[in-house]
Amino acid sequence: MLPPGSTIGILGGGQLGRMLGLAAAQLGYKVHVYAPDAESVAAEVTAHHSQAAWDDEPRLAAFAAACDAVTFEFENVPVDTVRFLSGHVAIRPGALGLEIAQDRLAEKKFVADLGGRTAPFASVPDRAALDIALADIGAPAILKTVRMGYDGKGQARLATPADADTAWQTIGRHAAILEGFVAFEHEFSVILVRGIDGEIRTWDSSVNVHEGGILATASLPPPPVVIEQQDEARAMMAEIADALDYVGVLTGEFFATDAGPVFNEMAPRVHNSGHWTIEGAVTSQFENHIRAIAGLPLGSTATRQLPVMMRNLIGADIALIPDLLADENCHVHHYSKTEVREGRKLGHATWAGASPT
């Protein structure tokens, strides 16, 4: 167990790191952010900040020496960075979950091997393989780059096989995975936290609505079909967490379908769809992540009161904050990012125990 006054390192300087830093401070910890970016909204609220490249081993070693434990706030931290640090300091979660989550093909195979239900998928290493995959899976389908890509980036939809050339160009001709189209009623999240001792606790699932590939809202209670499929999806995520010997918050995104919950993807970190837990749950995802990696007892994940709605403030939406603050039931979080641009998450608003007015 890390005593108060210990330093927790966070790889990555974005809003998730910012909210993790605030949760760590609440529990008496100092936080040291390591990121290559000059602008770090996480570093604004933490004690220490190292701006250096992911492969700068002398700086990484110095960072490790200054920390008592290290975690990461987004899934595109290089696996080699995590492996290097693991030789110098406790890093939770470890590299395995990160490595699998960074490769969409490996991720789908991993979950399928555990018995999870996924969309039909095929490897597309080159353009010729796309035709073979389409002949096997059919269309409509979605072509996704194997690596990188988030919030709808690195993806292209194919209504028919005739769209293959356009789709291949759209994703930049990178190695990809073709996923068969899944007919679903709703998208929902399963967010769990696993302690060092293997204890797992799970928050209630939100139903998620995306616009332009970006999460727009996460709300509770979800519709009956999601509630009916929540336990099966939770069991799948618990099996994944145990297989990875995972420590911290782990998120899985699912489709509610006639056949049951279909696994879409996982994130080895706190998640956008769990922001509602700050005001809406007894213990937020951010606090429980810190508790887990510090070896502290996990907090209750119970929902305080319903309904709950979390809305992302994307791009020009950030200008709505004065109006949102006029709603006495609205909790606003501004991420302190200076550049406003289309598609950029700049904050979020939450209503707990009330609906937006």
Side-chain angles (χ1 to χ4, degrees):
M1 183 179 76
L2 293 182
S6 300
T7 297
I8 293 175
I10 298 177
L11 300 174
Q15 65 265 21
L16 299 180
R18 182 185 181 94
M19 288 180 273
L20 282 171
L22 292 170
Q26 178 183 322
L27 294 173
Y29 296 115
K30 297 181 177 65
V31 174
H32 189 152
V33 168
Y34 186 105
D37 310 289
E39 179 186 14
S40 170
V41 297
E44 291 180 357
V45 301
T46 58
H48 306 288
H49 176 210
S50 291
Q51 182 191 348
W54 293 125
D55 59 355
D56 189 334
E57 292 189 354
R59 294 292 299 277
L60 286 170
F63 168 70
C67 298
D68 299 291
V70 171
T71 190
F72 44 85
E73 63 115 31
F74 78 125
E75 65 268 46
N76 289 327
V77 174
V79 172
D80 286 346
T81 299
V82 174
R83 288 196 174 123
F84 176 83
L85 286 170
S86 67
H88 296 77
V89 65
I91 183 160
R92 300 169 184 145
L96 182 56
L98 188 69
E99 183 175 25
I100 291 171
Q102 286 181 357
D103 186 317
R104 286 190 171 104
L105 187 61
E107 181 183 66
K108 285 289 195 300
K109 289 179 178 177
F110 176 73
V111 173
D113 287 347
L114 289 175
R117 186 185 293 108
T118 72
F121 65 91
S123 175
V124 182
D126 52 40
R127 174 63 184 83
L130 177 54
D131 291 331
I132 297 171
L134 281 166
D136 181 37
I137 291 176
I142 302 176
L143 187 66
K144 301 179 180 179
T145 54
V146 168
R147 294 188 173 275
M148 305 300 285
Y150 60 93
D151 289 343
K153 299 178 177 68
Q155 302 183 19
R157 292 179 178 270
L158 296 88
T160 72
D163 296 327
D165 282 336
T166 300
W168 184 245
Q169 294 296 326
T170 297
I171 67 163
R173 298 177 293 178
H174 296 296
I177 178 174
L178 184 73
E179 298 180 10
F181 181 77
V182 175
F184 63 91
E185 294 185 55
H186 299 282
E187 297 181 54
F188 68 98
S189 296
V190 171
I191 304 177
L192 64 76
V193 59
R194 185 176 186 273
I196 291 174
D197 60 358
E199 179 188 2
I200 291 176
R201 298 191 178 193
T202 310
W203 286 268
D204 288 333
S205 290
S206 65
V207 64
N208 304 327
V209 175
H210 291 78
E211 297 176 0
I214 303 174
L215 180 67
T217 62
S219 58
L220 296 92
V225 64
V226 172
I227 294 174
E228 292 166 5
Q229 298 186 14
Q230 182 175 253
D231 285 348
E232 184 180 345
R234 284 176 170 177
M236 184 72 256
M237 290 307 300
E239 190 169 352
I240 291 171
D242 287 339
L244 296 172
D245 193 20
Y246 194 92
V247 176
V249 169
L250 176 67
T251 304
E253 294 183 87
F254 289 83
F255 299 121
T257 77
D258 290 342
V262 172
F263 173 88
N264 181 31
E265 62 184 15
M266 70 178 185
R269 54 167 172 80
V270 290
H271 195 259
N272 192 180
S273 65
H275 290 354
W276 68 267
T277 63
I278 298 174
E279 288 85 22
V282 174
T283 311
S284 76
Q285 63 168 344
F286 301 100
E287 180 179 336
N288 255 342
H289 186 81
I290 297 299
R291 288 188 185 214
I293 67 173
L296 297 172
L298 300 180
S300 169
T301 54
T303 303
R304 290 184 181 275
Q305 53 185 335
L306 294 171
V308 180
M309 163 76 81
M310 188 284 300
R311 173 186 173 184
N312 272 327
L313 301 178
I314 301 169
D317 289 348
I318 200 69
L320 299 174
I321 282 183
D323 293 333
L324 293 170
L325 290 173
D327 182 345
E328 63 182 16
N329 295 311
C330 183
H331 303 269
V332 172
H333 296 258
H334 193 303
Y335 301 154
S336 191
K337 296 179 181 179
T338 56
E339 183 184 355
V340 177
R341 65 173 182 267
E342 184 179 356
R344 193 181 197 198
K345 296 172 184 173
L346 300 175
H348 73 268
T350 303
W351 292 260
S355 298
T357 57

